[in-house]
Amino acid sequence: MKKILVPTDFSEQAGYALEVAYHIAKKSDASIVLLHVVEDASVTSMHYTGEVDLPNMEDRLFMMKLIEKGKQDLAELANSSFSDAVIEQELRIGSPYHNIKDIIGEHSVDLVVMGTKGSTGLEEFLIGSNAEKVVRHAKCPVLTIHKKATSFDFKEVVYATALEEEEEQCVNTVKMFQKLYGSTLHLVRINTPNNFQSDRFARPELEAFAKRCQLENYKIHIFNEGSEEEGIIYFAESINADMIAMATHGRTGLAHLLTGSIAEDVVNHAKRPVLTYVIGR
């Protein structure tokens, strides 16, 4: 891991994410790309040095003030408590999601660490969040942070698996965290009323998955709950996990509307860090 992207809107949640990213960067000798996006509905993604084509001078002046304020706030944040880390500052104009996607490619980002407020009910159904969109589409692992960390050691990591061969890249990311932190990996299958499998069949399958992925220092668990999302969250709470990790297919459009996404649900509702990786592309 050499490059970590931290999008920031200077909110508390973004600050929590930067704290976590800073400690990961120090542990892995990585650099941080600190990104702030000045939102503008008229463009998708643009570097701040580009020409801002606004309909009148008043709007243009307002945008320039936002850009200058963003540059100043980025510099203050990068040079505050994190001055001993290597931090690149990026300010862009347009959509936060599209700029995050562009930065991942331009900087060959290995990990995105971003804060999320989560969402529920109608808000979750209608608009989701930038974090959800990044989780669904990012070409690299995404670590979402919901609240201020009380510890920066990921010693107990839950890996919720569907036992798919495509999970290999996600597993490799989890193994990287294991190596960095000396973590214990809790490999878990969630039994639900609609997807139930007895222990005598489930445990051998989990063992075979662990062997195929060459896992070390792991424990196998089977947890019963009404839904996969609740099972993952409640199991992580039951062992006081430091992180939840899981793969996602990143479904979009009608497929996403009909099936939903367990990973996005967990990101929305879990109170602990969630590491996701899009597979099947």
Side-chain angles (χ1 to χ4, degrees):
M1 189 188 305
K2 295 301 178 186
K3 192 87 69 169
I4 301 171
L5 172 62
V6 183
T8 183
D9 57 0
F10 308 112
S11 65
E12 284 187 353
Q13 283 76 17
Y16 303 155
L18 181 56
E19 286 181 338
V20 172
Y22 166 78
H23 284 87
I24 296 173
K26 297 295 287 184
K27 193 89 171 176
S28 61
D29 197 27
S31 62
I32 293 173
V33 180
L34 188 61
L35 169 68
H36 175 63
V37 179
V38 176
E39 295 193 52
D40 181 356
S42 66
V43 295
T44 299
S45 174
M46 185 174 69
H47 197 278
Y48 78 90
T49 55
E51 181 66 23
V52 183
D53 186 19
L54 295 174
N56 60 62
M57 186 57 70
E58 186 176 330
D59 288 343
R60 182 171 294 189
L61 287 173
F62 178 70
M63 180 62 70
M64 294 309 298
K65 287 181 180 179
L66 289 179
I67 290 171
E68 289 304 316
K69 180 68 163 56
K71 288 169 61 179
Q72 180 182 340
D73 289 345
L74 267 180
E76 289 180 359
L77 184 58
N79 295 319
S80 57
S81 304
F82 313 102
S83 57
D84 60 335
V86 178
I87 299 180
E88 302 173 56
Q89 300 170 42
E90 283 277 1
L91 190 141
R92 297 291 177 98
I93 301 168
S95 153
Y97 161 68
H98 284 98
N99 279 282
I100 290 168
K101 184 179 70 171
D102 288 349
I103 290 285
I104 289 172
E106 291 170 18
H107 288 263
S108 300
V109 169
D110 300 299
L111 175 70
V112 177
V113 183
M114 63 187 303
T116 175
K117 295 180 181 178
S119 55
T120 58
L122 187 60
E123 179 189 14
E124 179 180 5
F125 181 76
L126 290 177
I127 61 171
S129 66
N130 286 311
E132 278 187 13
K133 293 175 186 176
V134 176
V135 164
R136 196 183 308 163
H137 299 286
K139 302 294 186 182
C140 68
V142 179
L143 181 63
T144 50
I145 307 297
H146 191 84
K147 64 178 184 178
K148 187 174 180 64
T150 55
S151 169
F152 297 100
D153 272 344
F154 298 107
K155 291 295 187 183
E156 305 295 329
V157 177
V158 170
Y159 184 73
T161 177
L163 302 176
E164 297 184 21
E165 292 184 6
E166 296 170 323
E167 291 182 44
E168 182 179 349
Q169 286 180 301
C170 185
V171 172
N172 287 340
T173 301
V174 173
K175 287 163 71 173
M176 177 195 63
F177 272 93
Q178 265 195 298
K179 186 175 180 180
L180 278 177
Y181 293 94
S183 314
T184 299
L185 183 62
H186 297 269
L187 193 62
V188 62
R189 170 192 164 83
I190 306 300
N191 265 338
T192 66
N194 295 325
N195 185 19
F196 182 85
Q197 191 176 42
S198 66
D199 283 24
R200 67 190 177 99
F201 293 113
R203 287 188 180 278
E205 288 188 1
L206 288 166
E207 287 286 2
F209 178 83
K211 185 176 181 180
R212 186 168 70 247
C213 295
Q214 300 181 320
L215 298 183
E216 297 177 356
N217 192 24
Y218 67 90
K219 298 178 181 179
I220 284 177
H221 308 266
I222 298 168
F223 194 80
N224 302 318
E225 192 49 72
S227 70
E228 286 89 349
E229 171 217 324
E230 291 177 324
I232 294 166
I233 291 172
Y234 293 146
F235 172 72
E237 289 179 0
S238 74
I239 66 165
N240 195 27
D242 300 301
M243 178 195 292
I244 296 169
M246 58 192 303
T248 174
H249 283 281
R251 294 184 179 92
T252 59
L254 184 60
H256 177 262
L257 183 62
L258 293 176
T259 64
S261 167
I262 296 169
E264 288 171 38
D265 287 342
V266 173
V267 165
N268 260 333
H269 303 130
K271 301 301 182 185
R272 61 197 71 236
V274 181
L275 179 71
T276 57
Y277 195 106
V278 179
I279 62 173
R281 290 185 173 177

